[in-house]
Amino acid sequence: MDAFKYENSKLLCEEVSVDQIADAVGSPVYIYSAKTFRDHFASFQKAFADLDPIICYSIKSCGNLAIIKLLSELGCGMDTVSGGEIYRAQQADADMSKVVYAGVGKTDAEIKLGITSGIGWFNIESEMECENISRIAKSLGKVAHGALRVNPDIYDPKTHDKTTTGKKETKFGVDIERAKQFFRTYGKDEHCVLDAIHLHIGSPIYSPEPYVMAIKKALDLIAELKAEGIEVKTLDIGGGYAADYESGKSPSYQTYADAIVPLLKDTGLQVILEPGRTISGNAGILVSEVQYIKQGGNKKFAILNTGMHHMIRPAMYEAFHFVWPTQVDAKFEPAERKEVMDMDGLVKTEVVGPICETSDTIAKDRMLPPLERGDRVAMFTAGAYGMVMASNYNAMPRPAEVLVDGDTATVIRQRETYADVVALEESPMPVDLA
Ligand SMILES: *Cc1c(COP(=O)(O)O)cnc(C)c1O
């Protein structure tokens, strides 16, 4: 699952003590394990090896340059959703031919950057966007490659409404009926070559079935197009593979692959996969410090120096994250991470952040070892959609990021300062209205 474990009552990331890192760089701090990133990528690649797919890691899940570099060096492609993420891929020397770019609102400037940087595919979400990409490519004297994002009308009831993307009434992609007409109209465009299909049904998806249903629909569509003389060469089946928010919660890569690979193996299609959280989720933790303990009615509150401004998933998606102190009595070393822990001596605790909103809750009514002021607390499976969604709300500087590799630890993003937070406001300039 990951390289975070308790040894002699202390939490380690690989061979480094998490507390030693926090002593040196302060808290809150995101700590990532390079080994976990590498292991996840290697086993994901192995599970799907029979398809010889292009694996495009979703930068939006955890996009630090050092992480993009680490995965690029293993041959991993990148899934991007903005000009900023394309820029990140460039800065990290990613292989741009293995970059895919999705998003319903691509601006002209973003499209231009995608074309000039030589990305592999635009995942196209509408007719108007397709025409715009073609127009911009033509003006640059270039050819762009497009994959039509088809939304297969698949809905996994276990996926949070805010992260479901494959329903018919969604802003993403075009529905299957419209897809055929789309290929008829734009399939012969010379500046936006449309010979691929993209699916992304949302996340996290806790079983292979939704993928199977979506892929079957896409294969039917590809066959119908072929009968009309329109050839689809590439099928991108998106991301959404789960992370282990609780021990053993997510299916193994092999479980997904066993269901998906046979459907695609002998189709001759180039397959693209876009895993995000399943690679990055368990590769990171967010370490913070208990500032105060207080009683509110019958509840015991532990107030941290981090909260929804640094990790918004509990507030936004009611997401569960395992939380545990970084140093514990031997009897409290957790053998596994579960929503309800069953150990003698645990105390029901409401873990909250400092932000002036009640939604700033990290863990509700959670059974935890007794916490005191000054204790450090780790929030697990925080690698995905953690730092990338962090904000400066309440003028809070964002945390530092540290990458551990074996027995070394490197600061890969400095802690922001108050000066950083106000930097772009220091020199008001008159708007040139001429
Ligand atoms: C967010 C996203 C992904 C990755 O989702 P995960 O749940 O992190 O795997 C992949 N593809 C697209 C188009 C996305 O928007």
Side-chain angles (χ1 to χ4, degrees):
M1 172 170 62
D2 57 51
F4 296 94
K5 58 175 186 297
Y6 285 83
E7 236 175 65
N8 302 323
S9 304
K10 283 187 167 53
L11 178 61
L12 301 183
C13 175
E14 301 190 22
E15 294 156 46
V16 182
S17 142
V18 161
D19 282 301
Q20 268 182 310
I21 295 173
D23 286 343
V25 307
S27 83
V29 55
Y30 274 96
I31 300 177
Y32 305 105
S33 155
K35 176 176 164 28
T36 305
F37 272 103
R38 289 194 197 101
D39 287 352
H40 284 176
F41 176 69
S43 40
F44 193 85
Q45 195 175 37
K46 188 161 163 245
F48 287 93
D50 282 349
L51 298 177
D52 192 20
I54 300 175
I55 299 173
C56 296
Y57 165 71
S58 174
I59 287 183
K60 82 166 189 285
S61 73
C62 181
N64 187 291
L65 294 182
I67 306 289
I68 302 176
K69 267 192 194 138
L70 180 156
L71 289 169
S72 292
E73 281 165 13
L74 302 174
C76 190
M78 296 293 146
D79 164 42
T80 63
V81 293
S82 70
E85 289 190 354
I86 293 172
Y87 181 78
R88 279 189 175 273
Q90 284 182 304
Q91 295 305 304
D93 291 324
D95 177 350
M96 299 307 286
S97 72
K98 286 199 231 171
V99 168
V100 293
Y101 173 24
V104 292
K106 302 177 187 80
T107 65
D108 290 6
E110 290 179 309
I111 291 169
K112 214 167 168 176
L113 177 60
I115 294 171
T116 54
S117 66
I119 65 165
W121 287 270
F122 285 87
N123 290 336
I124 296 174
E125 312 244 7
S126 67
E127 289 84 353
M128 217 186 263
E129 180 195 331
C130 188
E131 287 175 20
N132 199 30
I133 292 172
S134 174
R135 179 184 64 80
I136 294 170
K138 188 172 178 189
S139 74
L140 294 167
K142 303 254 189 201
V143 174
H145 287 263
L148 176 61
R149 180 163 183 173
V150 173
N151 101 58
D153 200 18
I154 300 283
Y155 173 61
D156 184 346
K158 279 180 273 179
T159 303
H160 196 281
D161 269 348
K162 282 184 187 154
T163 52
T164 288
T165 60
K167 278 201 269 190
K168 201 164 186 175
E169 282 81 24
T170 162
K171 68 175 177 176
F172 299 102
V174 304
D175 53 59
I176 290 231
E177 295 84 61
R178 236 165 80 201
K180 256 189 279 180
Q181 191 53 43
F182 203 112
F183 273 94
R184 285 183 203 124
T185 310
Y186 301 105
K188 302 243 165 8
D189 193 292
E190 284 173 13
H191 288 281
C192 182
V193 176
L194 191 67
D195 58 4
I197 285 176
H198 174 236
L199 308 166
H200 174 64
I201 48 183
S203 52
I205 310 277
Y206 282 105
S207 74
E209 281 77 37
Y211 293 97
V212 170
M213 287 190 282
I215 290 167
K216 282 186 174 159
K217 287 192 178 186
L219 290 176
D220 286 348
L221 172 64
I222 290 170
E224 286 171 38
L225 289 168
K226 194 169 181 185
E228 291 188 28
I230 299 167
E231 197 197 350
V232 173
K233 294 183 181 149
T234 304
L235 178 60
D236 179 340
I237 64 170
Y241 312 91
D244 245 348
Y245 293 101
E246 289 181 77
S247 300
K249 182 158 189 203
S250 66
S252 69
Y253 297 154
Q254 202 56 53
T255 303
Y256 287 114
D258 285 347
I260 293 170
V261 171
L263 295 174
L264 296 171
K265 196 163 181 247
D266 300 312
T267 57
L269 291 165
Q270 167 71 66
V271 175
I272 299 176
L273 303 163
E274 301 173 344
R277 75 182 69 225
T278 197
I279 305 282
S280 55
N282 286 86
I285 60 172
L286 172 58
V287 176
S288 60
E289 199 173 304
V290 176
Q291 303 301 300
Y292 299 104
I293 301 289
K294 75 182 262 189
Q295 202 70 29
N298 291 326
K299 275 189 200 281
K300 174 187 175 181
F301 286 88
I303 301 158
L304 306 180
N305 63 349
T306 192
M308 67 186 294
H309 51 314
H310 298 154
M311 170 42 101
I312 204 171
R313 298 192 72 254
M316 189 138 107
Y317 312 124
E318 293 136 48
F320 168 82
H321 283 266
F322 187 75
V323 167
W324 211 251
T326 58
Q327 282 196 51
V328 284
D329 290 347
K331 64 172 179 170
F332 288 133
E333 280 191 28
E336 46 176 18
R337 304 174 200 149
K338 290 283 179 200
E339 194 155 345
V340 182
M341 297 295 280
D342 189 13
M343 293 168 164
D344 278 344
L346 298 183
V347 180
K348 194 185 273 187
T349 309
E350 191 94 341
V351 185
V352 301
I355 298 296
C356 301
E357 288 205 18
T358 306
S359 58
D360 188 18
T361 300
I362 297 283
K364 275 194 165 57
D365 289 336
R366 194 69 63 80
M367 297 305 287
L368 290 175
L371 290 174
E372 289 171 22
R373 174 173 161 84
D375 285 349
R376 286 202 190 98
V377 165
M379 186 177 186
F380 291 78
T381 325
Y385 306 104
M387 183 62 176
V388 286
M389 293 177 96
S391 76
N392 292 126
Y393 190 33
N394 286 198
M396 297 280 190
R398 282 178 291 184
E401 292 182 288
V402 168
L403 181 63
V404 171
D405 195 353
D407 60 2
T408 66
T410 309
V411 175
I412 56 172
R413 191 178 206 274
Q414 292 171 39
R415 178 179 310 289
E416 282 177 351
T417 63
Y418 292 143
D420 292 330
V421 175
V422 302
L424 298 173
E425 299 158 34
E426 277 173 336
S427 322
M429 280 197 299
V431 177
D432 184 358
L433 299 171

